[in-house]
Amino acid sequence: MSKKSEERNEREEQLSHAKRNMEGGESGYAFLVEAANELVDLGSIGDIYAYTARKINHLLNNESVVAVVEYNHEENHWTMQHFEGVGKKKSALAKVFGFDPMHLEGEISTKYYEKLSSGKLVEVEFDFPGLFNSKFSDAVGIAVKKLFAVEKLYSIVFQQNNQVYGNITFFTTRKTGLVNVGLIEAFVNIVSIFLKKFHAEKELTNEATHRKVLMEQSNDGIVILDQEGRVVESNRRFANMLGYPLEKMIKLAVTDWEFLYSPEDTTEMIGSIDEEGVHFETRHRRKDGSIYDVEISANAAWFDEKKRVFCICRDITERKMAEDMQTQSAMDLKESNSRIESFLQVSQSMNSTLEKETLMQMIVDSGIRVTGFESGAIYLLKSRNSIILEATSPAL
C-alpha cells in the first residue's frame, strides 16, 4: 500500500470514528469532511497552524483567543506559532507581557504536561506560574484574564502514534457558548495526521540536505554503490580523484577504477560488505591510466530491500611515499651501522693478539660487507714476486 493510500485510510478512519462518537451529528461530520479536504491543499506546517486556530475559533463563535505552539522535544522547548482572536487587543496584550505575544516561548515540561499529553481536550487551571514554569507571575495571569474576561482555559495536544507535535490552547468567555469537546478532539486528531505527514517530509528534506552538505564538503572521496558495484551517487571530490566529470560518475562501476583486485574479487568483496563494514587499502586507476594509493572505509545498508554500499575513499599516496622513504632510511641506517660495526671489530682485532692470518681474513671479510662487493683479497708481499700472506673472501 502506498504512503498516500495509508494517509487517506487514516483520515477516513478518523472521520468514521468521529461520526459515531461526536456531538453535533451530521453538521459536525460535515465540518470535519470539509476540514480534511481543505487541509489537503495547505502547503506548509505554518499554514496548518493558522488554519487550525481559525477553525477552532470559529467553533467557539469567534469569541475566544486561540494559541498554537510547536514542541521541540530535544531542547524541551516550545515556541508560539499562531495567535487567533486577539483582534484590537493585541497591543494591550503586548503591554501585559512586555513584548509581542508571538514571541512567547517556554519549557515543555511543566506540571501540566502529563495532563495535556492525554490527547484529550482538558480544562487547565489559569495558573500562569505553573503554565510557564514561573516565567510569568500571577499578576500577569490576572491581567490577561481581566483583559479578555476569561472564564475557562482549555488545551489539547497534536498527537499521532505517541508523537506530540505541539498543542492548541484557548479560553472561553460568557459569549463563547457550549464547547463541543468531541468535535474539537476529532478535528485536532485529523489535523495531527497532516502534521505528522509534514513533519516526516521535513525530516526527510533536512536529512537529504544534511547528507548533501556532508558529501560535498568532505575532504575525502565518497561514493555510493549498488549491490553490483555500480555508482548510485558520488561527491565531486571522488570524481576529481579519478579525473572524471561528476556527471559521468553515474555511468561507472567500481571495476572501472579498481587496480589491485581482479573484477571477480572486487565483485565478491562488494557482495560481502555488511552493516559492520570493512577497512582496507588498495590502489585506484585514474581516467588517464595513472595509479594512486587509497584507503577505503565501507559499510552497507538496505533501502527498500536494495543494498547500498557507502564508501569513503582517502588518497594516501603521499602517506605511502613517506612510509617508503622511512623504510628506506631505516634500511640505510641499518647498513651504516653494520659497516661501523665491521670497522670496530677490525680495529679491536688489530689491538688483540690474533694470528696474522685470522686478522687479515677479518679485514677482507669486513671490506666485503662494507663495500657490497662479491669478493676480495689482501696480499702481503715480501718482494715483488714473493707473497708471504694472503686472505680472500670468499675463499678463491
Side-chain angles (χ1 to χ4, degrees), residues 1 26 82 129 132 187 360:
M1 182 182 295
E26 291 297 329
H82 191 82
F132 292 95
F187 172 59
M360 294 296 288

Side-chain angles (χ1 to χ4, degrees), residues 38-76:
E38 291 173 343
L39 282 163
V40 170
D41 296 327
L42 299 181
S44 70
I45 293 177
D47 291 340
I48 291 178
Y49 289 145
Y51 174 84
T52 303
R54 288 195 301 270
K55 296 299 271 189
I56 291 289
N57 197 34
H58 171 74
L59 291 175
L60 301 171
N61 297 322
N62 294 315
E63 293 291 345
S64 177
V65 171
V66 183
V68 180
V69 304
E70 184 176 72
Y71 290 171
N72 182 334
H73 290 280
E74 291 183 359
E75 298 179 6
N76 185 34

Side-chain angles (χ1 to χ4, degrees), residues 60-103:
L60 301 171
N61 297 322
N62 294 315
E63 293 291 345
S64 177
V65 171
V66 183
V68 180
V69 304
E70 184 176 72
Y71 290 171
N72 182 334
H73 290 280
E74 291 183 359
E75 298 179 6
N76 185 34
H77 187 256
W78 62 261
T79 53
M80 183 63 64
Q81 298 297 314
H82 191 82
F83 256 121
E84 188 72 24
V86 177
K88 296 179 180 179
K89 295 181 180 180
K90 183 177 180 180
S91 59
L93 183 61
K95 288 182 180 179
V96 172
F97 284 119
F99 53 83
D100 186 340
M102 275 302 298
H103 296 155

Side-chain angles (χ1 to χ4, degrees), residues 153-165:
L153 184 68
Y154 293 89
S155 188
I156 183 172
V157 293
F158 300 111
Q159 185 174 14
Q160 279 287 300
N161 301 330
N162 297 320
Q163 178 65 42
V164 180
Y165 303 107

Side-chain angles (χ1 to χ4, degrees), residues 33 50 54 82 98 103 112 115 176 186 196-197 202 209 217 224 245 258 265 276 289 293 313 332 336 348 385:
V33 172
R54 288 195 301 270
H82 191 82
H103 296 155
Y112 297 105
K115 185 176 184 180
T176 300
K196 174 186 175 183
K197 169 180 174 290
K202 183 179 178 181
T209 301
Q217 293 186 352
I224 300 174
E258 176 56 43
D265 290 342
E276 294 184 3
D293 294 292
C313 310
D332 292 344
S336 297
Q348 292 170 358
N385 298 318

Side-chain angles (χ1 to χ4, degrees), residues 66 86 96 119 130 140-141 147 158 163 199 224 226 230 235 258 260 272 280 301 331 346 357 360 367 371 396:
V66 183
V86 177
V96 172
V140 173
L147 179 64
F158 300 111
Q163 178 65 42
H199 277 283
I224 300 174
D226 65 14
R230 294 183 294 262
N235 70 347
E258 176 56 43
L260 194 59
S272 66
F280 61 97
M331 292 175 62
V346 172
E357 291 82 356
M360 294 296 288
T371 61
L396 300 177

Side-chain angles (χ1 to χ4, degrees), residues 1 27 113 129 135 148 151 153-154 167 170 190 222 237 246 250 267 282 287 301 354 393:
M1 182 182 295
S27 62
Y113 180 70
K135 186 175 182 178
F148 293 99
E151 287 194 340
L153 184 68
Y154 293 89
N167 75 53
F170 61 87
I190 292 173
I222 298 176
R237 170 60 178 156
L246 180 60
I250 196 69
T267 301
T282 185
K287 182 182 178 183
L354 291 175
S393 181

